[in-house]
Amino acid sequence: MSLLSCESLHAGYNGKTVIKNISLSFQEGSMVSVIGPNGSGKSTLLKCLGRLIKPTEGRVFLDGRSISMLNSSEIARNIGILAQSPSAPEDIPVHCLAAYGRSPYKKIMSSFTKEDREIVNWAVSAAGLDDKRHMPIGRLSGGERQRAWIAMALAQQPKILLLDEPTTYLDIHHQFEILELLQKLNKNCGLTVVMVLHDLNLASRFSGRMIALKNGETALDGNSDEVVTEKNLYDIFRVKSRITESDGCRTALYTGVA
Amino acid sequence: MKSYTEQDNRKKYMTGGIGLILLTTGICVSVAFGTVSISLSEIFGIFTGANEGGMYHIMMNIRLPRIITGALTGINLALSGAILQSVLKNPLADPGIIGISAGAGLFAMAVMILLPSYTHAVPPAAFTGAILTSLIIYLLAYDGGAHPLRLILAGVALAAFLGAFMTALMVFYSDKVQGTVNWMAGSLSGRSWIHVRMILPYTVLGLFGAVFGSKYLNILMLGDDAARGLGLSVEKVKFIMTILAALLAASAVSVAGLLGFVGLIIPHITRLIVGSDNRLLIPFSAVFGAITVIFADTAARMVFSPYELPVGVVMAFLGAPFFLYLLKRRTR
């Protein structure tokens, strides 16, 4: 059975439909990229899967149960979701931000236990921020800040992590750093990762499965060999390109708009 | 890196200690000084029951209730501002933004001008006006969720609307405006135990609610999406906290008039000192709010003695430059 799935999902804002009839399922331990042009509904799909917005039609299932039937803390213990460029007060130290990830496990009056503390420490280490533990997030670099948010999501101990453009505004070094971190968590901890990415070449390098959206519908769904082709890029992004293959990874070289 | 937190903790304990010392000093100074000075030994005598003369009356029935009303007003306004700044994620939010001042002002002014023989009805009228206005603003701003920007815009619009009514009242009854001036500027003159009893329940409720809600406010400050992702019922928390802020501010203005400044500046100053963690910000704001009002009111009574200034005037006069100084030091 798939860990997370959706069935004929429709959703939008203010009466305007953004995604139409999307049905997908995500296997445990997979690492999936969602790609597509601006406005194709990538973020909306991710928000529906993470129940940040309610679909107008269709349902989302977590472990076979409809998430509209689950309480929000229970969902937060299974799904970690990071929106695009989240912001927080600048003076929160990294370990405090990570500690907020424990809140879905807390009842109204319960206090922070030794176990919570250990999990937060693990999350901060796993995100590679051991030496920045007490640093206020306002003093971190862009890449470190993104990893601090990932630490928060990890402290939720989710089975699946949904990320909306986790590499936006980062230079190429930090983009790789974030994606290698996610790959490591996927391989070593079995964390299922679904991420919206803009960069096709990074998506093809780091994810076994790529889903392309166009005009709110699933246009393509497959591995990078199937998705990253000159014809597909033309159809979906309206760009001319040449596909090359280096160290087993398909890379597109764009040559102009179509 | 460890020293980071240690240094932080020391700063917090020091701030807390200084706050408590200032509060005690403020209360003592405020009790002792005024048109008539009361010496420390006399104060001691009053507490032990040895002195029951005129000094006893001045202290127990005039100064003490006034000081306590002032302190509770300061606590309520500061808590209200701190809560709203977190809920609206806007450091410039204050109780005025959710219509407290406009609603309370219009209702209180209407009573003072149109029903001058019912002055005892001013506090309940102000309270009703404040709560009604904030509810209307919340309803106007609600569209599947209370978005901070919509809330602020609705607040500004409604405040302008009600302000027009106030101006109209002032123009039509210009002969009766005199009596409302003190109230409009915020004054603690002549406040008695009745006023303490009026505001105290809200202070208690507000302190419990805000301290209890502070960890939810912290999560709310991560943004709606992140908060929802952590399983928080964002709309429920926002609504409850906004209502709490409205009750706190409404009870404060109902006993002290339109005391601006505290709700905006005190949480802001406190944030500059202790940081944005609501678990510290909330209690410290309460303490600093009480201190500020007590000191400002003492000054208001004394500077031009035997005449009194409205406490709001003193507060803005001393507080605004101090705030600018803190801001400048911070940005450097």
Side-chain angles (χ1 to χ4, degrees):
Chain A
M1 189 175 53
S2 61
L3 182 54
L4 187 69
S5 62
C6 61
E7 216 177 74
S8 45
L9 210 58
H10 293 250
Y13 307 92
N14 306 324
K16 192 170 154 274
T17 307
V18 179
I19 56 173
K20 285 167 276 200
N21 204 21
I22 293 187
S23 299
L24 292 166
S25 71
F26 300 96
Q27 300 305 316
E28 190 157 7
S30 56
M31 188 150 173
V32 184
S33 292
V34 179
I35 59 168
N38 292 338
S40 58
K42 306 182 294 290
S43 297
T44 309
L45 171 63
L46 209 70
K47 284 183 178 175
C48 276
L49 292 174
R51 65 77 184 75
L52 296 188
I53 54 175
K54 275 203 188 85
T56 47
E57 268 179 67
R59 284 192 294 177
V60 177
F61 296 94
L62 173 68
D63 273 333
R65 291 176 300 167
S66 168
I67 63 168
S68 59
M69 311 294 279
L70 301 175
N71 81 39
S72 49
S73 294
E74 187 171 2
I75 300 169
R77 290 194 287 266
N78 286 285
I79 304 177
I81 179 161
L82 288 185
Q84 204 177 337
S85 28
S87 73
E90 303 259 291
D91 62 344
I92 302 181
V94 171
H95 69 96
C96 282
L97 182 64
Y100 290 140
R102 296 305 296 161
S103 42
Y105 292 85
K106 298 283 130 193
K107 290 247 167 40
I108 280 180
M109 294 302 269
S110 61
S111 59
F112 217 66
T113 62
K114 191 160 168 275
E115 193 199 349
D116 290 318
R117 176 59 51 207
E118 279 164 7
I119 291 164
V120 169
N121 286 343
W122 165 81
V124 173
S125 306
L129 289 170
D130 250 335
D131 52 338
K132 302 263 160 66
R133 186 176 296 276
H134 298 290
M135 184 88 87
I137 60 166
R139 295 172 50 151
L140 300 176
S141 71
E144 287 165 346
R145 202 173 308 179
Q146 186 60 269
R147 283 189 278 143
W149 283 96
I150 291 173
M152 185 193 87
L154 290 178
Q156 288 172 249
Q157 296 183 297
K159 292 186 188 138
I160 184 161
L161 190 56
L162 308 175
L163 305 107
D164 194 352
E165 294 189 27
T167 56
T168 336
Y169 305 129
L170 299 181
D171 62 40
I172 190 69
H173 174 88
H174 288 107
Q175 292 186 25
F176 263 87
E177 211 173 62
I178 296 290
L179 289 167
E180 280 175 8
L181 166 64
L182 293 172
Q183 193 174 46
K184 201 176 79 190
L185 291 165
N186 173 260
K187 287 222 170 82
N188 300 349
C189 314
L191 182 70
T192 309
V193 177
V194 178
M195 54 192 171
V196 170
L197 285 182
H198 254 309
D199 189 319
L200 289 187
N201 294 334
L202 287 177
S204 111
R205 177 176 291 269
F206 283 97
S207 42
R209 177 180 170 200
M210 295 169 75
I211 297 166
L213 299 188
K214 189 177 186 192
N215 297 329
E217 288 173 282
T218 324
L220 298 162
D221 183 352
N223 61 31
S224 71
D225 289 346
E226 292 157 344
V227 173
V228 184
T229 67
E230 285 161 20
K231 180 179 179 304
N232 286 340
L233 295 190
Y234 179 86
D235 288 344
I236 292 172
F237 292 98
R238 295 278 154 205
V239 288
K240 288 184 283 194
S241 59
R242 250 193 348 264
I243 306 295
T244 59
E245 194 158 336
S246 62
D247 63 272
C249 185
R250 291 173 76 85
T251 307
L253 183 71
Y254 308 107
T255 55
V257 293
Chain B
M1 278 304 126
K2 186 117 196 156
S3 64
Y4 235 119
T5 38
E6 274 170 14
Q7 203 185 333
D8 259 21
N9 280 337
R10 219 176 53 213
K11 205 172 137 193
K12 279 159 200 162
Y13 289 130
M14 259 175 60
T15 315
I18 292 172
L20 289 180
I21 292 169
L22 279 176
L23 187 60
T24 330
T25 323
I27 293 174
C28 292
V29 169
S30 197
V31 165
F33 294 104
T35 321
V36 181
S37 293
I38 307 178
S39 70
L40 267 179
S41 64
E42 280 171 315
I43 293 175
F44 188 72
I46 290 166
F47 271 121
T48 52
N51 185 340
E52 293 199 342
M55 293 299 179
Y56 176 89
H57 175 69
I58 290 177
M59 178 171 151
M60 294 306 276
N61 294 328
I62 296 177
R63 290 203 187 146
L64 217 47
R66 179 173 180 161
I67 293 167
I68 294 174
T69 307
L72 299 182
T73 304
I75 291 174
N76 285 16
L77 287 174
L79 282 179
S80 176
I83 291 171
L84 287 174
Q85 287 175 9
S86 295
V87 170
L88 300 177
K89 287 180 274 290
N90 188 330
L92 291 178
D94 81 335
I97 268 185
I98 53 165
I100 297 297
S101 328
L106 180 62
F107 275 54
M109 188 182 250
V111 171
M112 284 187 282
I113 287 181
L114 302 174
L115 306 163
S117 52
Y118 292 92
T119 40
H120 60 272
V122 168
F127 186 83
T128 314
I131 295 294
L132 270 181
T133 317
S134 47
L135 279 178
I136 293 173
I137 289 175
Y138 209 90
L139 284 177
L140 286 176
Y142 199 87
D143 177 23
H147 191 270
L149 189 62
R150 265 204 311 267
L151 213 54
I152 290 169
L153 289 176
V156 170
L158 200 61
F161 185 69
L162 298 182
F165 279 96
M166 271 200 260
T167 314
L169 273 179
M170 285 199 268
V171 171
F172 286 130
Y173 298 90
S174 51
D175 52 323
K176 293 182 182 162
V177 168
Q178 194 57 35
T180 67
V181 169
N182 249 328
W183 194 88
M184 287 308 208
S187 169
L188 290 165
S189 175
R191 297 301 184 266
S192 63
W193 291 111
I194 299 173
H195 298 99
V196 172
R197 276 196 293 276
M198 246 186 268
I199 188 176
L200 185 63
Y202 296 101
T203 309
V204 174
L205 175 79
L207 272 174
F208 271 110
V211 167
F212 180 70
S214 57
K215 60 179 173 183
Y216 299 107
L217 288 176
N218 276 347
I219 294 177
L220 214 50
M221 283 169 69
L222 304 178
D224 288 5
D225 279 348
R228 216 166 273 140
L230 289 170
L232 190 74
S233 310
V234 171
E235 290 310 324
K236 203 162 82 186
V237 172
K238 272 189 191 172
F239 182 70
I240 293 173
M241 294 319 278
T242 310
I243 291 290
L244 191 65
L247 287 174
L248 280 165
S251 59
V253 295
S254 72
V255 301
L258 295 187
L259 204 57
F261 189 80
V262 186
L264 171 64
I265 308 282
I266 295 302
H268 211 99
I269 289 178
T270 313
R271 188 174 292 110
L272 291 178
I273 298 170
V274 302
S276 58
D277 185 342
N278 282 286
R279 287 169 300 181
L280 292 169
L281 181 64
I282 294 280
F284 277 114
S285 292
V287 175
F288 290 145
I291 294 171
T292 311
V293 176
I294 290 176
F295 272 103
D297 188 47
T298 313
R301 286 193 288 124
M302 296 188 38
V303 176
F304 293 111
S305 175
Y307 299 105
E308 268 191 27
L309 283 171
V311 58
V313 172
V314 178
M315 208 133 53
F317 203 75
L318 298 176
F322 178 64
F323 176 64
L324 289 176
Y325 158 76
L326 272 183
L327 216 55
K328 184 145 176 99
R329 213 189 54 172
R330 172 73 167 218
T331 44
R332 203 182 297 153

